[in-house]
Amino acid sequence: MLDTVLQAHRTAAENALKRGDFSQLIQVFLTCLADHPRNPLLHNDLAKAYLKVGNRHAAKKHFIEALHLDPHRVETLCQLALFHRQEGDFTESIRCFQKALRINPLIPEAHYQLANTYTLQNQFDLALTHYLEALQYGANTIDVHRNLGMIYFGDNQWE
């Protein structure tokens, strides 16, 4: 159960987020981390807030700290994978997605994003596998179907 101080910080963070005040949100998380420095969720959320204000260096630092504290945190692995992909480090992005899927292979969004990363690397066979797994595990968005169609179209698999 959350202690009273942590709950107060959570409420302040929710209010800052609703206002779109990411600088205030960062301050709330930093204050909360002063009291709970080993909380991986706080590090993860702070990293995402830093991304909102464009501080990619601080975001990466807190994603890594979150994983140091909890190496099996799938959400953080996926966030870090997306971070690496945006930085153009596709190898590290793929590694993070693969690790997340080893921990929990039933996450459709991780399969979808991994497939997108493989597509950016022209590794269409691997992308196809993960798009199909994304569908199998519940991702039924038009984006998955469109991307599958593009791969099939590129392979002249009209049916």
Side-chain angles (χ1 to χ4, degrees):
M1 181 144 182
L2 292 174
D3 65 28
T4 306
V5 173
L6 193 54
Q7 185 59 45
H9 288 305
R10 175 173 274 177
T11 300
E14 288 171 358
N15 290 335
L17 187 58
K18 286 178 188 174
R19 292 189 314 272
D21 187 349
F22 297 108
S23 295
Q24 178 63 33
L25 183 61
I26 289 168
Q27 290 307 310
V28 170
F29 286 139
L30 288 172
T31 301
C32 198
L33 274 173
D35 296 330
H36 305 277
R38 300 195 48 79
N39 185 318
L41 178 61
L42 289 172
H43 284 283
N44 186 73
D45 289 346
L46 178 57
K48 292 190 295 187
Y50 274 128
L51 284 177
K52 291 289 189 182
V53 297
N55 189 339
R56 297 184 66 76
H57 177 75
K60 183 178 181 180
K61 173 185 163 192
H62 286 281
F63 281 138
I64 290 170
E65 183 61 21
L67 287 174
H68 172 75
L69 295 169
D70 183 0
H72 297 97
R73 188 163 166 66
V74 171
E75 178 190 355
T76 303
L77 283 164
C78 290
Q79 290 290 326
L80 186 58
L82 291 171
F83 176 90
H84 284 301
R85 188 172 76 196
Q86 291 169 349
E87 295 286 304
D89 188 348
F90 298 110
T91 300
E92 193 61 23
S93 177
I94 289 168
R95 189 190 70 73
C96 288
F97 280 127
Q98 288 173 335
K99 184 174 181 182
L101 288 168
R102 279 193 303 274
I103 295 167
N104 184 351
L106 306 177
I107 304 170
E109 183 65 17
H111 283 288
Y112 173 69
Q113 292 297 342
L114 178 56
N116 288 342
T117 306
Y118 280 133
T119 298
L120 291 169
Q121 292 293 286
N122 297 321
Q123 297 180 35
F124 300 114
D125 290 343
L126 292 170
L128 179 64
T129 298
H130 287 282
Y131 284 134
L132 292 173
E133 288 190 34
L135 286 175
Q136 177 183 348
Y137 297 124
N140 199 13
T141 67
I142 194 162
D143 293 332
V144 176
H145 292 284
R146 181 190 66 235
N147 292 351
L148 275 170
M150 294 302 290
I151 289 174
Y152 288 138
F153 183 79
D155 283 345
N156 295 321
Q157 296 181 28
W158 309 110
E159 63 283 348

